[in-house]
Protein backbone atom coordinates (compact mmCIF):
# COMPACT_ATOMS: atom_id res chain seq x y z
CA UNK A 1 0.00 0.00 0.00
CA UNK A 2 1.33 3.41 -0.88
CA UNK A 3 1.13 5.82 2.09
CA UNK A 4 -2.10 7.84 2.07
CA UNK A 5 -3.70 10.00 4.74
CA UNK A 6 -7.33 9.44 5.67
CA UNK A 7 -8.17 12.83 4.17
CA UNK A 8 -6.58 11.72 0.87
CA UNK A 9 -8.44 8.40 0.93
CA UNK A 10 -11.73 10.15 1.69
CA UNK A 11 -11.24 12.39 -1.33
CA UNK A 12 -10.54 9.37 -3.56
CA UNK A 13 -13.55 7.34 -2.40
CA UNK A 14 -16.03 10.16 -1.84
CA UNK A 15 -16.27 9.68 1.92
CA UNK A 16 -15.89 11.73 5.08
CA UNK A 17 -13.46 11.26 7.94
CA UNK A 18 -14.67 10.62 11.47
CA UNK A 19 -11.57 11.27 13.55
CA UNK A 20 -8.09 12.49 12.70
CA UNK A 21 -7.81 12.90 8.93
CA UNK A 22 -4.04 13.28 9.07
CA UNK A 23 -3.56 9.64 10.12
CA UNK A 24 -1.62 7.80 7.42
CA UNK A 25 -2.33 4.29 6.15
CA UNK A 26 0.96 2.65 5.22
CA UNK A 27 0.09 -1.08 5.18
CA UNK A 28 -2.41 -3.25 3.25
CA UNK A 29 -6.16 -3.33 3.71
CA UNK A 30 -7.77 -6.37 5.35
CA UNK A 31 -11.29 -7.71 5.90
CA UNK A 32 -10.38 -9.67 9.02
CA UNK A 33 -9.22 -7.40 11.81
CA UNK A 34 -7.03 -10.13 13.25
CA UNK A 35 -4.92 -10.01 10.08
CA UNK A 36 -4.23 -6.27 10.25
CA UNK A 37 -0.63 -5.11 10.03
CA UNK A 38 0.86 -2.06 11.75
CA UNK A 39 -0.30 0.96 9.76
CA UNK A 40 -3.01 -1.02 7.99
CA UNK A 41 -6.61 -0.30 6.99
CA UNK A 42 -9.51 -2.43 8.26
CA UNK A 43 -12.47 -2.60 5.84
CA UNK A 44 -15.70 -3.14 7.77
CA UNK A 45 -18.92 -4.58 6.38
CA UNK A 46 -22.25 -4.88 8.18
CA UNK A 47 -23.43 -8.41 7.41
CA UNK A 48 -26.55 -10.38 8.20
CA UNK A 49 -24.98 -12.21 11.14
CA UNK A 50 -22.06 -9.98 12.13
CA UNK A 51 -21.09 -6.33 11.87
CA UNK A 52 -17.44 -5.74 11.07
CA UNK A 53 -17.56 -2.29 12.59
CA UNK A 54 -17.82 -3.95 16.00
CA UNK A 55 -14.34 -5.42 15.48
CA UNK A 56 -12.55 -2.13 14.87
CA UNK A 57 -10.90 -2.18 18.29
CA UNK A 58 -9.65 -5.72 17.64
CA UNK A 59 -8.19 -4.54 14.34
CA UNK A 60 -6.56 -1.65 16.15
CA UNK A 61 -4.89 -4.01 18.61
CA UNK A 62 -3.48 -5.95 15.66
CA UNK A 63 -2.03 -2.77 14.16
CA UNK A 64 -4.73 -1.14 12.00
CA UNK A 65 -4.72 2.64 12.24
CA UNK A 66 -8.05 3.28 10.50
CA UNK A 67 -11.30 1.80 9.24
CA UNK A 68 -13.11 2.09 5.92
CA UNK A 69 -16.78 1.52 6.66
CA UNK A 70 -20.33 2.80 6.65
CA UNK A 71 -20.34 4.34 10.15
CA UNK A 72 -17.85 5.73 12.67
CA UNK A 73 -15.92 3.23 14.81
CA UNK A 74 -13.47 3.14 17.69
CA UNK A 75 -10.69 3.97 15.19
CA UNK A 76 -10.47 6.94 12.84
CA UNK A 77 -12.88 6.01 10.06
CA UNK A 78 -13.46 6.93 6.43
CA UNK A 79 -17.27 6.80 6.32
CA UNK A 80 -18.81 5.87 2.95
CA UNK A 81 -22.19 4.70 1.70
CA UNK A 82 -20.80 1.58 0.01
CA UNK A 83 -17.62 0.06 1.45
CA UNK A 84 -17.15 -2.34 -1.47
CA UNK A 85 -17.34 0.43 -4.07
CA UNK A 86 -15.00 2.57 -1.95
CA UNK A 87 -12.48 -0.28 -1.62
CA UNK A 88 -12.48 -0.73 -5.39
CA UNK A 89 -12.12 3.01 -6.01
CA UNK A 90 -9.16 3.14 -3.65
CA UNK A 91 -7.54 0.18 -5.42
CA UNK A 92 -8.02 1.80 -8.82
CA UNK A 93 -6.42 5.01 -7.51
CA UNK A 94 -3.41 3.13 -6.14
CA UNK A 95 -3.09 1.29 -9.45
CA UNK A 96 -2.91 4.58 -11.33
CA UNK A 97 -0.31 5.94 -8.92
CA UNK A 98 1.88 2.88 -9.44
CA UNK A 99 1.26 2.43 -13.16
CA UNK A 100 4.58 3.79 -14.42
CA UNK A 101 6.69 1.14 -12.68
CA UNK A 102 4.21 -1.72 -12.43
CA UNK A 103 3.42 -4.56 -14.86
CA UNK A 104 0.00 -6.06 -14.23
CA UNK A 105 -0.88 -9.61 -15.26
CA UNK A 106 -4.52 -10.72 -15.14
CA UNK A 107 -5.35 -14.40 -15.19
CA UNK A 108 -8.61 -16.31 -15.56
CA UNK A 109 -9.99 -19.69 -16.58
CA UNK A 110 -12.47 -22.32 -15.47
CA UNK A 111 -9.81 -24.34 -13.69
CA UNK A 112 -6.11 -24.07 -12.91
CA UNK A 113 -6.19 -20.34 -12.10
CA UNK A 114 -4.63 -20.57 -8.67
CA UNK A 115 -1.97 -23.12 -9.62
CA UNK A 116 -0.97 -21.08 -12.67
CA UNK A 117 -0.94 -17.93 -10.57
CA UNK A 118 1.43 -19.65 -8.14
CA UNK A 119 3.67 -20.83 -11.01
CA UNK A 120 3.74 -17.36 -12.57
CA UNK A 121 4.49 -15.78 -9.21
CA UNK A 122 7.55 -18.01 -8.90
CA UNK A 123 8.68 -16.95 -12.38
CA UNK A 124 8.23 -13.22 -11.88
CA UNK A 125 9.62 -13.24 -8.33
CA UNK A 126 12.91 -14.45 -9.81
CA UNK A 127 13.06 -11.18 -11.77
CA UNK A 128 11.70 -8.56 -9.38
CA UNK A 129 9.43 -7.85 -6.39
CA UNK A 130 6.05 -9.46 -7.10
CA UNK A 131 2.65 -9.21 -5.43
CA UNK A 132 0.06 -11.86 -6.27
CA UNK A 133 -3.41 -12.92 -5.23
CA UNK A 134 -3.35 -14.79 -1.94
CA UNK A 135 -4.99 -18.19 -2.33
CA UNK A 136 -8.11 -17.75 -4.46
CA UNK A 137 -9.16 -14.25 -3.38
CA UNK A 138 -10.22 -13.49 -6.94
CA UNK A 139 -13.57 -11.72 -6.58
CA UNK A 140 -14.88 -8.17 -6.15
CA UNK A 141 -13.18 -7.92 -2.75
CA UNK A 142 -10.11 -10.09 -3.30
CA UNK A 143 -8.91 -8.23 -6.38
CA UNK A 144 -8.83 -4.75 -4.79
CA UNK A 145 -7.22 -6.21 -1.66
CA UNK A 146 -4.49 -7.67 -3.87
CA UNK A 147 -3.93 -4.36 -5.63
CA UNK A 148 -3.63 -2.57 -2.30
CA UNK A 149 -0.78 -4.86 -1.27
CA UNK A 150 1.39 -3.33 -4.01
CA UNK A 151 3.70 -0.42 -3.27
CA UNK A 152 6.39 1.63 -4.95
CA UNK A 153 8.85 -1.27 -4.81
CA UNK A 154 6.52 -3.70 -6.61
CA UNK A 155 7.50 -4.59 -10.17
CA UNK A 156 4.85 -7.19 -10.98
CA UNK A 157 1.25 -7.55 -9.88
CA UNK A 158 -0.37 -10.93 -10.64
CA UNK A 159 -4.14 -10.88 -10.25
CA UNK A 160 -6.34 -13.97 -10.43
CA UNK A 161 -9.86 -13.07 -11.58
CA UNK A 162 -13.00 -15.15 -11.19
CA UNK A 163 -16.57 -14.53 -12.33
CA UNK A 164 -20.06 -15.55 -11.28
CA UNK A 165 -21.91 -13.37 -13.74
CA UNK A 166 -21.35 -11.53 -16.99
CA UNK A 167 -19.45 -8.31 -16.50
CA UNK A 168 -17.57 -9.38 -13.36
CA UNK A 169 -14.19 -9.76 -15.06
CA UNK A 170 -14.68 -6.64 -17.16
CA UNK A 171 -15.19 -4.65 -13.98
CA UNK A 172 -12.25 -6.21 -12.16
CA UNK A 173 -9.94 -5.64 -15.13
CA UNK A 174 -11.00 -1.99 -15.27
CA UNK A 175 -9.56 -1.38 -11.79
CA UNK A 176 -6.00 -1.90 -13.11
CA UNK A 177 -6.02 -2.77 -16.84
CA UNK A 178 -3.53 -5.61 -17.32
CA UNK A 179 -0.51 -5.50 -19.62
CA UNK A 180 -0.83 -9.27 -19.99
CA UNK A 181 -4.10 -11.24 -19.95
CA UNK A 182 -3.88 -15.03 -19.52
CA UNK A 183 -6.91 -17.20 -20.34
CA UNK A 184 -6.39 -20.84 -19.42
CA UNK A 185 -9.53 -22.66 -20.53
CA UNK A 186 -13.30 -22.61 -20.77
CA UNK A 187 -14.81 -25.42 -18.71
CA UNK A 188 -17.85 -26.16 -16.58
CA UNK A 189 -17.10 -24.20 -13.42
CA UNK A 190 -20.09 -21.92 -12.68
CA UNK A 191 -22.10 -23.55 -15.46
CA UNK A 192 -25.18 -23.11 -13.27
CA UNK A 193 -24.75 -19.34 -13.25
CA UNK A 194 -23.83 -18.86 -16.91
CA UNK A 195 -25.96 -21.56 -18.52
CA UNK A 196 -23.56 -22.63 -21.27
CA UNK A 197 -19.88 -22.90 -22.12
CA UNK A 198 -20.43 -20.26 -24.77
CA UNK A 199 -21.53 -17.81 -22.09
CA UNK A 200 -18.57 -18.78 -19.92
CA UNK A 201 -16.26 -18.09 -22.86
CA UNK A 202 -17.81 -14.65 -23.28
CA UNK A 203 -17.23 -13.92 -19.60
CA UNK A 204 -13.59 -15.08 -19.70
CA UNK A 205 -13.03 -13.07 -22.88
CA UNK A 206 -13.75 -9.89 -20.95
CA UNK A 207 -10.20 -10.11 -19.61
CA UNK A 208 -8.75 -9.95 -23.13
CA UNK A 209 -11.05 -7.04 -23.94
CA UNK A 210 -9.86 -5.31 -20.78
CA UNK A 211 -6.19 -5.28 -21.77
CA UNK A 212 -4.31 -2.02 -21.48
CA UNK A 213 -3.45 -0.48 -24.89
CA UNK A 214 -0.74 -2.60 -26.52
CA UNK A 215 -1.20 -5.38 -23.97
CA UNK A 216 -0.56 -9.04 -24.79
CA UNK A 217 -3.14 -11.83 -24.68
CA UNK A 218 -1.81 -15.25 -23.61
CA UNK A 219 -4.20 -17.93 -24.85
CA UNK A 220 -4.54 -21.71 -24.68
CA UNK A 221 -3.84 -23.06 -28.17
CA UNK A 222 -5.54 -26.37 -27.29
CA UNK A 223 -8.92 -24.87 -26.33
CA UNK A 224 -10.97 -23.71 -29.36
CA UNK A 225 -13.07 -21.33 -27.27
CA UNK A 226 -9.95 -19.68 -25.86
CA UNK A 227 -7.97 -19.42 -29.07
CA UNK A 228 -11.01 -17.77 -30.66
CA UNK A 229 -10.40 -14.86 -28.26
CA UNK A 230 -7.69 -13.66 -30.66
CA UNK A 231 -10.50 -11.74 -32.32
CA UNK A 232 -11.08 -9.71 -29.15
CA UNK A 233 -7.79 -7.83 -29.30
CA UNK A 234 -5.73 -5.91 -31.84
CA UNK A 235 -2.63 -6.37 -29.71
CA UNK A 236 -0.03 -9.13 -29.64
CA UNK A 237 -1.07 -12.72 -28.85
CA UNK A 238 1.08 -15.55 -27.45
CA UNK A 239 -0.25 -19.09 -27.27
CA UNK A 240 0.67 -22.12 -25.18
CA UNK A 241 -0.15 -25.82 -25.17
CA UNK A 242 0.52 -29.03 -27.06
CA UNK A 243 -0.69 -27.79 -30.43
CA UNK A 244 1.98 -27.66 -33.11
CA UNK A 245 1.34 -23.95 -33.70
CA UNK A 246 1.63 -22.98 -30.00
CA UNK A 247 4.21 -20.29 -29.28
CA UNK A 248 5.16 -22.05 -26.04
CA UNK A 249 4.81 -25.76 -26.67
CA UNK A 250 4.86 -28.66 -24.21
CA UNK A 251 6.83 -31.66 -25.48
CA UNK A 252 8.19 -34.96 -24.12
CA UNK A 253 5.94 -35.01 -21.04
CA UNK A 254 6.70 -37.77 -18.54
CA UNK A 255 5.70 -38.40 -14.90
CA UNK A 256 7.73 -39.81 -12.03
CA UNK A 257 6.47 -42.37 -9.48
CA UNK A 258 4.57 -39.64 -7.60
CA UNK A 259 3.00 -38.18 -10.72
CA UNK A 260 5.30 -35.16 -10.95
CA UNK A 261 5.87 -33.95 -14.52
CA UNK A 262 9.07 -33.44 -16.47
CA UNK A 263 8.82 -31.95 -19.94
CA UNK A 264 10.35 -29.66 -22.53
CA UNK A 265 9.17 -26.15 -23.29
CA UNK A 266 9.90 -25.03 -26.84
CA UNK A 267 9.56 -21.57 -28.32
CA UNK A 268 10.62 -20.27 -31.71
CA UNK A 269 13.99 -19.27 -30.27
CA UNK A 270 14.70 -21.55 -27.31
CA UNK A 271 14.24 -24.92 -25.66
CA UNK A 272 14.24 -25.57 -21.90
CA UNK A 273 13.81 -28.66 -19.76
CA UNK A 274 11.44 -28.34 -16.80
CA UNK A 275 10.99 -30.52 -13.73
CA UNK A 276 8.02 -29.53 -11.57
CA UNK A 277 7.69 -30.35 -7.86
CA UNK A 278 3.90 -30.56 -8.40
CA UNK A 279 1.57 -33.49 -9.03
CA UNK A 280 -0.35 -34.05 -12.26
CA UNK A 281 0.28 -33.90 -15.99
CA UNK A 282 -2.06 -30.90 -16.19
CA UNK A 283 0.48 -28.85 -14.25
CA UNK A 284 2.77 -28.92 -17.30
CA UNK A 285 0.19 -26.91 -19.22
CA UNK A 286 -0.31 -24.50 -16.33
CA UNK A 287 3.48 -24.07 -16.37
CA UNK A 288 3.38 -23.41 -20.11
CA UNK A 289 0.80 -20.68 -19.53
CA UNK A 290 3.01 -19.11 -16.87
CA UNK A 291 6.00 -19.37 -19.20
CA UNK A 292 4.13 -17.65 -22.02
CA UNK A 293 3.11 -14.83 -19.67
CA UNK A 294 6.72 -14.50 -18.56
CA UNK A 295 7.83 -14.43 -22.18
CA UNK A 296 5.36 -11.62 -22.88
CA UNK A 297 7.06 -9.63 -20.13
CA UNK A 298 10.55 -10.49 -21.34
CA UNK A 299 11.58 -13.35 -19.04
CA UNK A 300 13.77 -15.82 -21.00
CA UNK A 301 12.45 -19.36 -21.12
CA UNK A 302 15.64 -20.72 -19.51
CA UNK A 303 15.17 -18.46 -16.49
CA UNK A 304 11.51 -19.44 -16.34
CA UNK A 305 12.38 -23.16 -16.27
CA UNK A 306 14.67 -22.66 -13.28
CA UNK A 307 12.03 -20.69 -11.39
CA UNK A 308 9.26 -23.20 -12.09
CA UNK A 309 11.29 -25.88 -10.31
CA UNK A 310 10.93 -23.91 -7.06
CA UNK A 311 7.13 -23.48 -7.14
CA UNK A 312 4.88 -24.33 -4.23
CA UNK A 313 1.10 -24.21 -4.54
CA UNK A 314 -1.52 -22.54 -2.39
CA UNK A 315 -3.08 -24.54 0.43
CA UNK A 316 -5.15 -27.69 -0.31
CA UNK A 317 -4.33 -27.74 -3.99
CA UNK A 318 -2.77 -31.00 -5.14
CA UNK A 319 -0.86 -31.26 -1.86
CA UNK A 320 1.13 -34.49 -1.83
CA UNK A 321 1.79 -36.05 1.54
CA UNK A 322 3.41 -39.40 2.26
CA UNK A 323 1.70 -40.36 5.51
CA UNK A 324 3.54 -42.47 8.10
CA UNK A 325 2.37 -46.03 7.58
CA UNK A 326 2.97 -46.02 3.84
CA UNK A 327 -0.09 -44.11 2.64
CA UNK A 328 0.14 -41.46 -0.07
CA UNK A 329 -2.37 -38.60 0.29
CA UNK A 330 -3.26 -36.19 -2.50
CA UNK A 331 -5.21 -33.34 -0.90
CA UNK A 332 -7.00 -31.27 -3.56
CA UNK A 333 -9.89 -30.30 -1.32
CA UNK A 334 -9.97 -26.56 -1.91
CA UNK A 335 -12.46 -26.69 -4.78
CA UNK A 336 -13.80 -28.87 -7.59
CA UNK A 337 -15.58 -28.94 -10.91
CA UNK A 338 -15.91 -31.84 -13.37
CA UNK A 339 -12.80 -30.96 -15.39
CA UNK A 340 -10.53 -30.37 -12.40
CA UNK A 341 -11.81 -33.53 -10.73
CA UNK A 342 -10.94 -35.62 -13.78
CA UNK A 343 -7.45 -34.05 -13.80
CA UNK A 344 -6.99 -34.91 -10.12
CA UNK A 345 -8.19 -38.48 -10.72
CA UNK A 346 -5.67 -38.81 -13.56
CA UNK A 347 -2.93 -37.58 -11.22
CA UNK A 348 -3.91 -40.08 -8.53
CA UNK A 349 -3.97 -42.94 -11.03
CA UNK A 350 -0.31 -42.58 -12.01
CA UNK A 351 1.08 -42.40 -8.47
CA UNK A 352 2.83 -45.66 -7.62
CA UNK A 353 1.13 -47.62 -4.86
CA UNK A 354 -1.51 -50.17 -4.02
CA UNK A 355 -5.21 -49.37 -3.99
CA UNK A 356 -6.40 -46.06 -5.37
CA UNK A 357 -9.12 -44.53 -3.20
CA UNK A 358 -10.93 -41.42 -4.46
CA UNK A 359 -12.78 -39.51 -1.75
CA UNK A 360 -15.11 -37.18 -3.63
CA UNK A 361 -17.71 -34.68 -2.46
CA UNK A 362 -20.24 -32.48 -4.15
CA UNK A 363 -19.27 -30.15 -7.01
CA UNK A 364 -21.35 -27.00 -6.73
CA UNK A 365 -22.67 -24.44 -9.23
CA UNK A 366 -23.39 -26.89 -12.05
CA UNK A 367 -27.02 -25.88 -12.47
CA UNK A 368 -29.43 -28.24 -14.23
CA UNK A 369 -26.55 -30.46 -15.30
CA UNK A 370 -25.48 -31.16 -11.72
CA UNK A 371 -26.81 -34.68 -11.33
CA UNK A 372 -25.66 -35.85 -14.76
CA UNK A 373 -22.20 -34.29 -14.31
CA UNK A 374 -21.78 -35.94 -10.92
CA UNK A 375 -22.77 -39.28 -12.43
CA UNK A 376 -20.31 -38.83 -15.31
CA UNK A 377 -17.53 -37.99 -12.85
CA UNK A 378 -18.44 -41.14 -10.91
CA UNK A 379 -18.15 -43.20 -14.08
CA UNK A 380 -14.77 -41.66 -14.80
CA UNK A 381 -13.60 -42.16 -11.21
CA UNK A 382 -14.38 -45.88 -11.50
CA UNK A 383 -11.83 -46.10 -14.33
CA UNK A 384 -9.15 -44.48 -12.20
CA UNK A 385 -9.83 -45.70 -8.65
CA UNK A 386 -10.33 -49.06 -6.97
CA UNK A 387 -12.71 -47.48 -4.47
CA UNK A 388 -14.78 -44.31 -4.95
CA UNK A 389 -16.08 -42.83 -1.70
CA UNK A 390 -18.92 -40.38 -2.35
CA UNK A 391 -19.35 -38.12 0.68
CA UNK A 392 -22.63 -36.37 1.40
CA UNK A 393 -26.09 -36.28 -0.14
CA UNK A 394 -24.93 -34.01 -2.97
CA UNK A 395 -22.39 -36.61 -4.09
CA UNK A 396 -24.78 -39.58 -4.33
CA UNK A 397 -24.85 -39.33 -8.12
CA UNK A 398 -21.07 -39.90 -8.06
CA UNK A 399 -21.71 -43.18 -6.26
CA UNK A 400 -24.39 -44.10 -8.79
CA UNK A 401 -21.97 -43.48 -11.64
CA UNK A 402 -19.14 -45.42 -10.00
CA UNK A 403 -21.33 -48.50 -9.56
CA UNK A 404 -19.67 -51.44 -7.83
CA UNK A 405 -16.58 -49.34 -7.06
CA UNK A 406 -18.60 -46.92 -4.91
CA UNK A 407 -19.11 -46.46 -1.19
CA UNK A 408 -21.73 -43.80 -0.39
CA UNK A 409 -21.27 -42.17 3.02
CA UNK A 410 -23.45 -39.49 4.61
CA UNK A 411 -20.83 -37.04 5.88
CA UNK A 412 -17.19 -36.32 6.63
CA UNK A 413 -17.23 -38.14 9.97
CA UNK A 414 -18.49 -41.30 8.31
CA UNK A 415 -15.78 -41.00 5.67
CA UNK A 416 -13.11 -40.56 8.34
CA UNK A 417 -14.37 -43.63 10.22
CA UNK A 418 -14.43 -45.74 7.05
CA UNK A 419 -10.90 -44.70 6.09
CA UNK A 420 -9.46 -45.26 9.55
CA UNK A 421 -10.84 -48.76 9.58
CA UNK A 422 -9.76 -49.76 6.08
CA UNK A 423 -6.66 -47.82 5.02
CA UNK A 424 -3.64 -50.03 4.47
CA UNK A 425 0.03 -49.59 3.63
CA UNK A 426 0.49 -48.64 -0.02
CA UNK A 427 -2.92 -47.00 -0.48
CA UNK A 428 -3.07 -43.81 -2.55
CA UNK A 429 -5.90 -41.48 -1.50
CA UNK A 430 -7.30 -38.48 -3.37
CA UNK A 431 -9.56 -36.03 -1.52
CA UNK A 432 -11.51 -33.55 -3.65
CA UNK A 433 -14.76 -31.55 -3.55
CA UNK A 434 -16.09 -28.02 -3.71
CA UNK A 435 -15.05 -25.75 -0.86
CA UNK A 436 -18.35 -25.95 1.01
CA UNK A 437 -17.92 -29.70 1.53
CA UNK A 438 -14.91 -29.07 3.83
CA UNK A 439 -13.22 -32.30 2.81
CA UNK A 440 -9.96 -30.90 4.13
CA UNK A 441 -11.26 -32.35 7.41
CA UNK A 442 -11.04 -35.80 5.87
CA UNK A 443 -7.56 -35.12 4.48
CA UNK A 444 -6.36 -33.90 7.87
CA UNK A 445 -7.70 -37.03 9.54
CA UNK A 446 -5.85 -39.23 7.04
CA UNK A 447 -2.63 -37.28 7.52
CA UNK A 448 -2.73 -37.69 11.30
CA UNK A 449 -4.26 -41.17 11.60
CA UNK A 450 -2.20 -44.01 13.04
CA UNK A 451 -4.98 -46.59 12.86
CA UNK A 452 -3.99 -48.63 9.83
CA UNK A 453 -4.96 -52.14 8.93
Amino acid sequence: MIPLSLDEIATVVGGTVAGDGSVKVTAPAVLDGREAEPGGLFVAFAGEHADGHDYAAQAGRAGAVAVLGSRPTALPTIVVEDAQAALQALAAHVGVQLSDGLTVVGLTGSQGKTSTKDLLTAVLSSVGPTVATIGSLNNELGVPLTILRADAATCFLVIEMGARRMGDIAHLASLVPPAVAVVLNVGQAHLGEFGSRGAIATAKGELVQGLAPGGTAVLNADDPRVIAMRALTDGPVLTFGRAEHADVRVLDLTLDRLGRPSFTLRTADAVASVVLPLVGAHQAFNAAAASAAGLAIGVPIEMTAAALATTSLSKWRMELCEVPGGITLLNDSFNANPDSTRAALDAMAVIEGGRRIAVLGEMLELGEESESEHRIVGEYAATRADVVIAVGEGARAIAAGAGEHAVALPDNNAAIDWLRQTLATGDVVLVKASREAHLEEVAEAIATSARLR
Side-chain angles (χ1 to χ4, degrees), residues 100-266:
D100 286 346
L102 187 67
T103 299
V104 179
V105 182
L107 188 150
T108 194
S110 294
Q111 56 270 343
K113 293 188 293 295
T114 301
S115 295
T116 305
K117 177 263 302 179
D118 291 338
L119 287 157
L120 180 56
T121 300
V123 170
L124 297 181
S125 294
S126 70
V127 180
T130 301
V131 168
T133 301
I134 295 174
S136 292
L137 293 175
N138 59 23
N139 62 8
E140 65 277 2
L141 298 177
V143 168
L145 290 175
T146 301
I147 297 167
L148 292 174
R149 287 173 43 230
D151 59 25
T154 306
C155 293
F156 305 106
L157 180 61
V158 181
I159 305 177
E160 179 182 330
M161 298 185 190
R164 294 182 182 275
R165 61 191 66 83
M166 214 66 77
D168 280 357
I169 290 176
H171 178 63
L172 295 176
S174 73
L175 299 179
V176 282
V180 179
V182 183
V183 184
L184 298 174
N185 42 56
V186 174
Q188 294 163 285
H190 306 305
L191 187 61
E193 282 88 347
F194 288 101
S196 70
R197 282 199 177 193
I200 294 170
T202 299
K204 301 303 182 189
E206 291 172 2
L207 181 59
V208 177
Q209 293 172 305
L211 275 164
T216 301
V218 174
L219 305 177
N220 184 347
D222 301 331
D223 188 322
R225 289 185 175 88
V226 175
I227 202 64
M229 295 177 193
R230 280 182 181 274
L232 301 178
T233 178
D234 295 327
V237 174
L238 282 175
T239 60
F240 64 91
R242 254 196 174 132
E244 190 171 342
H245 61 271
D247 296 308
V248 178
R249 192 178 180 197
V250 176
L251 298 169
D252 307 322
L253 175 60
T254 61
L255 302 172
D256 70 7
R257 70 177 188 86
L258 293 176
R260 295 171 298 199
S262 299
F263 52 96
T264 299
L265 288 177
R266 176 172 292 170

